[in-house]
Amino acid sequence: MWEITQGLLSGFDAALTPLYLFYALAGTILGTITGVLPGLGPLGAMAILLSFTLKMDATAAMILFAGIYYGAMYGGSTTSILLNIPGEAASVVTCIDGYQMSQKGRAGAALAVAAVSSFIAGTISILGLTVVALYLSDIALRFGPSEFLAIGVCGLMFLIRMTGGSLLQSLIMTLIGMALGTVGIDFLTGAERFTYGINELGQGIEFLPVAMGIFGIAEVLLSVQGKEVPKSARKVRLRELLPTRKEWKRSIPSMFRGSFMGFFMGLVPGPSPIIATFVSYFTEKRLSKHPEEFGRGAIEAVAGPEAANNAAVGGAYVPLFALGIPFTPAMAMVLGALMLHGLTPGPNLMKEKADLFWIVIASMYIGNFMLIVLNLPLVNVFVNILRVPQRTLMPIIVLLCLIGVYSVNASLLDLLLLAIFGFIGYVLRRAGFQVAPLILALVIGPMIETSLRQALKISGGNLAEVVFRPICLSMYVATLLCFTVPLVLKWIRHR
Amino acid sequence: MKKILCVLLAVLFVTAFWGCPLWAAEKYPDKPITFVVPLGTGGMTDITARLLAEKFKAELGQPVLVVNKPGANGLIGIKYALGQAADGYTVIVSILTDNFAAPYFQEVEPLNIKDLAFIGSYMPQERVLFTPPDKPYKTFQEFIDFARKNPGKISVGSGAVQWALEVVKSIAVKESLKMKYVMFKSGGEASTAILGSHVDACETGTGTPAYQAAREGKLNLLVNLGKETVPFFPQTKNLKQLGYPFYTIVEYGMAVRAGTPEPIVKKLTETLKKVSQDPEVKEKMIQMGLTPRFLDGKAFEVLIQDTVKSVPELIKYNKAVQEG
Amino acid sequence: MDRKTYRKQIIISVALFGFSLFYFLSTLHLKMGTPRNMGPGFVPAMLGVLLLASTAFHLIRVYRALPSGEETERSPEEAKNYWAVAGILVCTAAFPLILETVKFIGSTFIVGFAMLLLWKPRNLLFSFLLSLGMAVGCFLLFSRFFGVALPSGFLEQLLFRIGA
């Protein structure tokens, strides 16, 4: 305990230099910009800056990247709330209620709650990072294919039940998402699936064009159609910018719950941060006193998932620092930066270059703090974006979606997919389907399939061996309880 | 008003359309170069490519942009690059040996050596078979004996290189072993699996987290599936030494579309040679556990030819493999 | 629900069922493998079956919910909006088709201008300048600042030099 405090103090001492503060600020600003612009994201920003960081020292590079990551997470939420366009998979859930709040004129409140949520989550997860990295780093290693399968399957259960409305519709959306995820070259055998000779489909259907299409383009189409509530053109009063006291009261517990969920899921490999967001949504809905508001603009539905996705960032750093294993492409970038500076993360790094570790931790706090300082005043600016007349804003959004998608992989196919899914999203949403499960299943489906096949291969086809393991079993049982207990309670009450 | 607009539009259209080579390339390079990396962002290829891009920029005086076009074991990116002009402004940076091997495993149209002009290679990578230290077998021979006595029990993973996994299978064919084979999506994923003892053995490359862990004694090295020495582990034998018929050749290098003017290819080769021998670059790579080594275009092409010859033979040989 | 909504729902349900059928049939010529060694077709086939079942259920359910009420006539206002929707989709799809030939600035300008026109702008010149500004601005932002490789022709190279 003392060791931690000492480390933190020395870290802050070293981090509060003008140079490092500058990098923290630069990182968060850059991250926010890339988070807001569709397509680029933290990975793109880091990739571009990687060579630039060669000229800096390792600590500065780490600080810059951490700032970018957090900034991008926050920027992604901004577009989710204001425009119903998720920056990345972890922001999709924020779209659901965040956008609804925005439609009702509560955009400022949603943004503010998202900002504070992210800040609290960031703080909790960094604290967690400090503690866990030193003592519990081996947790990540306990997760192999069977465990990933468990995470995926349980997450899927939550996903299907997450959004309100017809279970059947939700199921169909999820299945379609998973089916789309099977398109491409089968990773485990090399066989082509559903590619019909189109070479570019070999890499599969990417999340980004589908998300931008189903959310972004479809949104534009719906606005043109006139099916969306016209955005208010009058000047927004300050009072409306901030959440009411009641809203704060409702959000705060959600923020904490989401933070813990996000952090622990971030420790684990794979798209766990994404899963954390919808587990959080589901939990908040179950625990809320106003469950009927979910899907129509419940503040907890923004606070919880936002906290979860930010906390997952801190969680993801744990395996990187403690074991040297990156679990997301963005972390791989951070790893690359470290290696280019001659540092190999792992338990040794923590011991030898403990000072680096503490400075980075301290900077993450600082970056997190800067984010809220930067973004709360900007809430006003962001909300005013909504006041731009539709006829100008919509084409700009479409163009940004197009360019953003292209900027990732320079793929013309991605652009066509954007248009196709824009149409599909438009049609589905007009028919009353919730599209969030589709896009999330697209991400999780492949993980489930790959883990299933890997686990079965390792166990020689023995399904029991795959399911009856301590970690897996606890997850399956917990999930089952989450679903059956409320039903049982309802049944008892009726008696 | 409308007329003026139309005219303006037309002018814009025409000038943009022609993309004209008025600005003829008298001196190469006179505009930015694009490095096409047919693999994911953040991977070993991507990171080394970005490191080199920075140095190339310093040498050639023009910005070097890195574009990732992953998919299909590199085929998508390479096909994309081959569709660009053969003017030396689109350079493929990739594990070209693996890219040439991949189509055989996927049973698709293989790449044609003649379609590429090879600039050179900058780094070989060894694929090593790792195993957790608490296993009953500590050496390669012990591993083989154990596998023979326990058919169908051992699981072997691979860090996303099909060729390496097939080489392991060829060992099994030669020694009449029956094992289970699992493919992972990346070196990182495979590293997690082997460190957590989710598989009994795993092959992955130098530079990956598993390799770094082995440097700290957390994993044992059984054998090198390649044909050279493993940095920091000079005592690990390689398959060529041990007399096995097949081994991996993983070489990171650069190529452009065939038909690119000779002087441009030569300039790129010279730059690669200079950059890969740059002390800063060498130092960084060695620290990561990689071996910087320059081979010129011709030598690189020879490696590729070896690849194209041995892989189909490997596939035929492995038809006899028994899976657990 | 009224007749129009009912018709819409039926069409979509049939489309979903059709997609499931198409998907399932496509999985049939993939290798299935065994549960112990799952081939590329195993999981997709399972998904296909589940999809067929669920979309079939959905279709039946929608069909059973008989429509009531009058057939409301589509207003000319709405019809116009449908054209606008189609227009935007065409613009979005057109972008990748012209990008390689017309290069970045040209394509962005054309698509942007076309979309702005779809919204019946009051000031034509403003729309023209806005599209031009967007095209050039985005080019500079993404190409110079972010270092993204965009299809470049004569115009782009000119700008690149000016920027550099």
Side-chain angles (χ1 to χ4, degrees):
Chain A
M1 200 53 226
W2 173 237
E3 199 183 279
I4 297 180
T5 329
Q6 209 172 21
L8 270 173
L9 286 174
S10 73
F12 271 109
D13 185 49
L16 287 168
T17 63
L19 186 67
Y20 289 160
L21 282 175
F22 168 73
Y23 280 126
L25 187 65
T28 45
I29 292 180
L30 198 61
T32 314
I33 295 178
T34 53
V36 169
L37 287 174
L40 222 41
L43 185 60
M46 289 189 208
I48 290 154
L49 290 177
L50 185 67
S51 39
F52 184 63
T53 60
L54 287 174
K55 301 189 180 60
M56 313 172 192
D57 66 54
T59 323
M62 294 298 295
I63 293 174
L64 185 68
F65 277 14
I68 292 178
Y69 208 169
Y70 277 114
M73 278 293 167
Y74 185 68
S77 331
T78 309
T79 51
S80 301
I81 292 173
L82 291 177
L83 301 169
N84 207 21
I85 302 180
E88 10 178 277
S91 314
V92 171
V93 176
T94 315
C95 287
I96 302 177
D97 277 68
Y99 187 61
Q100 290 297 316
M101 285 186 70
S102 172
Q103 295 274 306
K104 295 206 171 92
R106 304 293 302 141
L111 286 172
V113 164
V116 173
S117 224
S118 304
F119 176 68
I120 291 185
T123 312
I124 291 181
S125 79
I126 296 174
L127 260 169
L129 166 60
T130 337
V131 169
V132 174
L134 291 178
Y135 303 117
L136 291 177
S137 49
D138 281 353
I139 285 187
L141 290 181
R142 306 258 190 84
F143 285 80
S146 312
E147 285 74 20
F148 295 143
L149 178 67
I151 294 178
V153 168
C154 296
L156 202 64
M157 299 289 113
F158 283 106
L159 180 60
I160 297 177
R161 282 309 269 133
M162 178 178 83
T163 46
S166 157
L167 178 59
L168 190 60
Q169 282 188 334
S170 213
L171 183 65
I172 294 179
M173 287 293 104
T174 310
L175 287 171
I176 293 183
M178 288 182 74
L180 289 174
T182 59
V183 172
I185 291 189
D186 173 34
F187 173 72
L188 291 165
T189 60
E192 297 211 5
R193 303 198 291 193
F194 314 109
T195 53
Y196 303 110
I198 307 175
N199 259 328
E200 291 230 334
L201 272 180
Q203 76 181 83
I205 296 183
E206 297 265 315
F207 166 80
L208 198 69
V210 177
M212 291 291 122
I214 286 191
F215 283 94
I217 306 282
E219 192 60 39
V220 170
L221 295 176
L222 287 168
S223 310
V224 170
Q225 174 85 81
K227 291 295 176 186
E228 293 286 294
V229 175
K231 313 211 189 318
S232 170
R234 61 179 171 79
K235 190 148 174 54
V236 179
R237 291 196 291 269
L238 185 66
R239 198 170 10 112
E240 288 177 356
L241 275 183
L242 297 174
T244 63
R245 188 173 306 176
K246 202 160 48 146
E247 283 173 333
W248 279 123
K249 242 175 78 172
R250 283 168 61 179
S251 337
I252 304 255
S254 319
M255 291 184 199
F256 281 95
R257 283 192 286 262
S259 303
F260 282 105
M261 256 183 255
F263 176 72
F264 282 108
M265 299 229 67
L267 288 177
V268 167
S272 314
I274 303 168
I275 298 183
T277 56
F278 43 92
V279 173
S280 169
Y281 187 93
F282 181 86
T283 313
E284 294 309 316
K285 191 167 172 186
R286 279 296 143 105
L287 294 176
S288 163
K289 300 204 179 48
H290 309 267
E292 69 287 349
E293 274 185 41
F294 275 69
R296 294 212 197 90
I299 193 100
E300 303 97 317
V302 173
E306 266 306 297
N309 82 19
N310 247 61
V313 173
Y317 267 91
V318 172
L320 183 69
F321 277 138
L323 302 167
I325 302 182
F327 285 152
T328 63
M331 284 295 126
M333 215 65 208
V334 174
L335 177 67
L338 278 173
M339 298 216 298
L340 282 177
H341 281 93
L343 297 166
T344 327
N348 259 4
L349 188 73
M350 304 265 288
K351 294 196 202 89
E352 285 168 22
K353 294 237 183 245
D355 44 334
L356 170 73
F357 176 71
W358 291 119
I359 298 180
V360 174
I361 298 269
S363 317
M364 283 165 90
Y365 275 122
I366 296 175
N368 225 9
F369 184 70
M370 279 195 188
L371 264 178
I372 204 168
V373 160
L374 204 67
N375 283 303
L376 271 182
L378 283 181
V379 164
N380 195 6
V381 172
F382 286 137
V383 170
N384 281 322
I385 290 178
L386 291 181
R387 290 180 54 213
V388 173
Q390 271 203 29
R391 69 176 92 91
T392 321
L393 188 62
M394 296 292 131
I396 294 181
I397 292 179
V398 174
L399 277 181
L400 284 177
C401 283
L402 283 167
I403 301 173
V405 166
Y406 187 78
S407 71
V408 177
N409 272 337
S411 161
L412 295 179
L413 176 72
D414 281 354
L415 294 175
L416 276 174
L417 285 176
L418 186 67
I420 293 173
F421 280 99
F423 175 66
I424 293 179
Y426 169 73
V427 167
L428 285 174
R429 285 167 69 177
R430 286 216 52 198
F433 281 86
Q434 281 272 10
V435 287
L438 192 157
I439 187 78
L440 291 169
L442 176 67
V443 175
I444 303 205
M447 172 202 185
I448 295 182
E449 181 187 6
T450 308
S451 311
L452 176 68
R453 291 164 73 181
Q454 284 171 339
L456 281 176
K457 268 240 158 164
I458 294 179
S459 69
N462 189 346
L463 193 63
E465 206 179 294
V466 171
V467 171
F468 292 102
R469 299 162 73 105
I471 299 183
C472 305
L473 212 54
S474 32
M475 277 196 267
Y476 289 127
V477 168
T479 311
L480 223 71
L481 286 175
C482 270
F483 287 107
T484 52
V485 166
L487 290 173
V488 169
L489 285 177
K490 224 196 292 189
W491 180 68
I492 293 181
R493 236 181 283 147
H494 272 250
R495 278 301 216 71
Chain B
M1 186 61 205
K2 277 216 174 114
K3 278 223 181 97
I4 302 176
L5 251 171
C6 285
V7 172
L8 268 168
L9 252 172
V11 168
L12 204 66
F13 187 100
V14 168
T15 51
F17 185 97
W18 289 114
C20 102
L22 267 184
W23 244 259
E26 301 164 309
K27 187 175 86 65
Y28 172 87
D30 67 337
K31 61 173 179 156
I33 301 175
T34 307
F35 276 6
V36 174
V37 176
L39 294 157
T41 323
M44 197 57 61
T45 321
D46 182 57
I47 293 178
T48 50
R50 288 180 193 275
L51 174 62
L52 291 174
E54 191 62 19
K55 293 287 171 181
F56 265 67
K57 178 170 152 186
E59 280 295 313
L60 296 175
Q62 281 289 336
V64 177
L65 309 168
V66 177
V67 166
N68 295 86
K69 295 213 71 143
N73 268 88
L75 289 177
I76 292 184
I78 294 184
K79 289 223 165 80
Y80 165 79
L82 289 177
Q84 306 296 308
D87 55 5
Y89 288 98
T90 309
V91 178
I92 302 172
V93 182
S94 177
I95 316 175
L96 283 159
T97 53
D98 194 44
N99 297 140
F100 273 85
Y104 293 102
F105 297 118
Q106 288 167 21
E107 291 166 24
V108 294
E109 192 68 31
L111 288 171
N112 192 342
I113 286 193
K114 303 251 181 296
D115 284 340
L116 292 175
F118 295 93
I119 295 175
S121 76
Y122 60 88
M123 185 175 102
Q125 190 197 35
E126 302 311 308
R127 308 296 299 189
V128 182
L129 199 61
F130 293 99
T131 189
D134 57 357
K135 292 286 177 190
Y137 36 87
K138 308 270 185 259
T139 67
F140 186 47
Q141 194 53 49
E142 285 175 26
F143 173 74
I144 295 187
D145 294 334
F146 188 89
R148 199 174 283 136
K149 292 202 198 87
N150 300 280
K153 283 272 162 52
I154 303 266
S155 53
V156 181
S158 163
V161 176
Q162 184 77 30
W163 190 358
L165 195 61
E166 295 292 329
V167 168
V168 175
K169 284 188 194 171
S170 72
I171 299 176
V173 169
K174 182 157 191 277
E175 306 284 348
S176 305
L177 307 173
K178 186 170 170 197
M179 301 195 284
K180 300 183 277 199
Y181 304 96
V182 182
M183 182 61 81
F184 290 99
K185 276 210 161 88
S186 68
E189 228 185 84
S191 300
T192 321
I194 190 65
L195 283 168
S197 292
H198 295 284
V199 283
D200 297 309
C202 188
E203 77 77 27
T204 182
T206 50
T208 54
Y211 174 75
Q212 313 294 2
R215 276 167 78 177
E216 289 171 19
K218 295 220 152 80
L219 288 175
N220 278 342
L221 282 79
L222 290 177
V223 70
N224 175 10
L225 299 173
K227 60 178 170 63
E228 320 223 1
T229 10
V230 183
F232 293 105
F233 294 97
Q235 72 280 20
T236 308
K237 298 242 188 302
N238 63 60
L239 286 183
K240 191 165 181 195
Q241 269 176 314
L242 294 172
Y244 283 89
F246 299 101
Y247 45 81
T248 57
I249 308 173
V250 178
E251 193 84 18
Y252 289 69
M254 298 192 184
V256 284
R257 184 173 158 185
T260 307
E262 238 338 277
I264 294 185
V265 177
K266 222 172 99 172
K267 179 125 199 211
L268 283 168
T269 309
E270 277 164 18
T271 317
L272 179 61
K273 180 169 182 187
K274 192 155 175 223
V275 165
S276 60
Q277 287 169 348
D278 175 294
E280 193 191 338
V281 170
K282 281 173 89 160
E283 191 197 312
K284 286 198 194 298
M285 288 175 66
I286 290 176
Q287 272 178 332
M288 291 195 242
L290 308 168
T291 322
R293 181 191 67 191
F294 171 75
L295 286 178
D296 70 14
K298 289 257 172 337
F300 193 27
E301 193 170 334
V302 165
L303 280 182
I304 306 266
Q305 280 164 346
D306 278 346
T307 304
V308 174
K309 208 166 52 120
S310 71
V311 170
E313 280 176 26
L314 171 64
I315 295 182
K316 236 192 330 190
Y317 188 82
N318 277 354
K319 286 230 183 331
V321 76
Q322 313 164 57
E323 299 224 20
Chain C
M1 53 178 148
D2 69 354
R3 266 229 139 73
K4 199 163 59 154
T5 318
Y6 179 72
R7 201 169 36 204
K8 216 176 10 172
Q9 289 284 346
I10 288 269
I11 294 177
I12 292 184
S13 313
V14 170
L16 286 173
F17 183 75
F19 170 78
S20 312
L21 197 61
F22 174 67
Y23 182 79
F24 180 70
L25 290 175
S26 308
T27 67
L28 291 178
H29 64 79
L30 287 171
K31 279 188 261 196
M32 293 291 156
T34 62
R36 136 198 294 225
N37 193 355
M38 282 188 184
F42 200 94
V43 169
M46 285 192 334
L47 283 175
V49 167
L50 286 170
L51 264 172
L52 276 175
S54 50
T55 48
F57 255 156
H58 187 256
L59 184 58
I60 294 175
R61 200 202 271 186
V62 167
Y63 183 71
R64 293 263 207 86
L66 292 168
S68 62
E70 305 284 301
E71 167 104 30
T72 53
E73 200 42 67
R74 187 185 293 173
S75 67
E77 174 77 25
E78 273 200 33
K80 195 164 47 147
N81 283 340
Y82 280 122
W83 279 115
V85 169
I88 297 185
L89 271 173
V90 165
C91 286
T92 314
F95 188 75
L97 299 173
I98 61 174
L99 187 60
E100 291 277 306
T101 35
V102 187
K103 306 294 174 195
F104 183 77
I105 294 188
S107 324
T108 316
F109 171 75
I110 291 175
V111 169
F113 194 48
M115 284 196 291
L116 281 168
L117 287 179
L118 275 173
W119 259 280
K120 296 282 182 314
R122 289 183 207 128
N123 192 340
L124 209 60
L125 184 62
F126 173 72
S127 305
F128 178 83
L129 290 174
L130 182 64
S131 346
L132 193 59
M134 281 246 18
V136 172
C138 281
F139 178 75
L140 288 173
L141 178 70
F142 282 90
S143 191
R144 295 283 309 151
F145 187 62
F146 285 124
V148 175
L150 297 168
S152 297
F154 178 70
L155 206 61
E156 286 80 7
Q157 287 178 35
L158 196 64
L159 264 172
F160 213 92
R161 273 169 217 282
I162 295 178

